[in-house]
């Protein structure tokens, strides 16, 4: 009986390791996502707000939505991600309060994704209603 128990434990550990190393992560997505700015409030007793800015290689909307889904979030908090095509026209810092991106760089933002505390994702294309020049 101990022999079967030991085999079951080893199989369970092997399955856990397999799942851990084959789980999809943010680095597996195509699109060459690079984080260029990040900000988080330091309020650990209330909602945690995270704001990111990323550069991407192409306007792959479904991949951006998937990318946002893999970002960390906290219950009752929000995670916002802003996407840019050109690193030179992307922010190097981002604020927690509006306007989160300087007005000079807003026209280069191709997408804004928001993930709420329940994990619901909304993706807005060209959130500042101006296409990239």
């Amino acid at each position: 009986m101990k022999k079967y128990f030991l085999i079951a434990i080893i199989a369970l550990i092997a399955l856990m390791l397999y799942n851990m190393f084959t789980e999809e992560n943010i680095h597996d997505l195509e699109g060459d996502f690079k984080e260029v700015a990040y900000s988080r409030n330091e309020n650990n007793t209330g909602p945690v707000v995270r704001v990111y800015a990323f550069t991407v290689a192409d306007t792959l909307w479904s991949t951006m939505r998937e990318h946002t889904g893999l970002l960390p979030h906290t219950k009752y908090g929000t995670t916002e991600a802003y996407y840019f095509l050109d690193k030179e026209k992307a922010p190097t810092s981002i604020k927690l309060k509006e306007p989160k991106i300087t007005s000079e760089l807003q026209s280069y933002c191709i997408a804004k994704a928001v993930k709420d505390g329940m994990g619901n994702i909304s993706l807005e294309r060209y959130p500042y209603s101006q296409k990239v020049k």
Side-chain angles (χ1 to χ4, degrees):
M1 189 68 176
K2 283 186 179 182
K3 181 179 176 182
Y4 295 117
F5 183 70
L6 185 59
I7 290 172
I9 294 293
I10 290 171
L12 183 64
I13 291 172
L15 182 62
M16 289 171 54
L17 288 173
Y18 174 77
N19 282 339
M20 184 173 71
F21 289 114
T22 59
E23 184 74 27
E24 182 180 33
N25 66 47
I26 215 160
H27 304 292
D28 294 336
L29 297 174
E30 62 181 65
D32 196 28
F33 292 91
K34 300 244 187 308
E35 182 181 317
V36 292
Y38 171 72
S39 186
R40 177 192 184 275
N41 67 337
E42 298 301 323
N43 183 3
N44 289 326
T45 59
V48 176
V49 178
R50 293 179 177 92
V51 183
Y52 294 89
F54 292 97
T55 58
V56 294
D58 197 3
T59 55
L60 303 169
W61 307 116
S62 61
T63 308
M64 287 181 204
R65 178 182 289 276
E66 190 176 349
H67 180 265
T68 305
L70 293 171
L71 292 174
H73 74 286
T74 308
K75 188 174 184 181
Y76 305 120
T78 58
T79 300
E80 293 182 38
Y82 294 86
Y83 295 96
F84 298 83
L85 284 174
D86 189 357
K87 184 176 181 168
E88 302 301 319
K89 296 173 182 168
T92 54
S93 65
I94 199 161
K95 297 183 241 172
L96 291 172
K97 297 190 189 274
E98 293 293 338
K100 296 181 180 180
I101 301 167
T102 62
S103 58
E104 297 85 33
L105 298 175
Q106 287 178 355
S107 63
Y108 300 106
C109 181
I110 60 168
K112 173 187 175 184
V114 179
K115 183 177 184 181
D116 65 15
M118 301 305 287
N120 299 322
I121 299 168
S122 63
L123 179 74
E124 183 180 355
R125 299 176 187 180
Y126 303 104
Y128 298 101
S129 69
Q130 296 176 2
K131 297 211 176 202
V132 177
K133 297 178 183 178

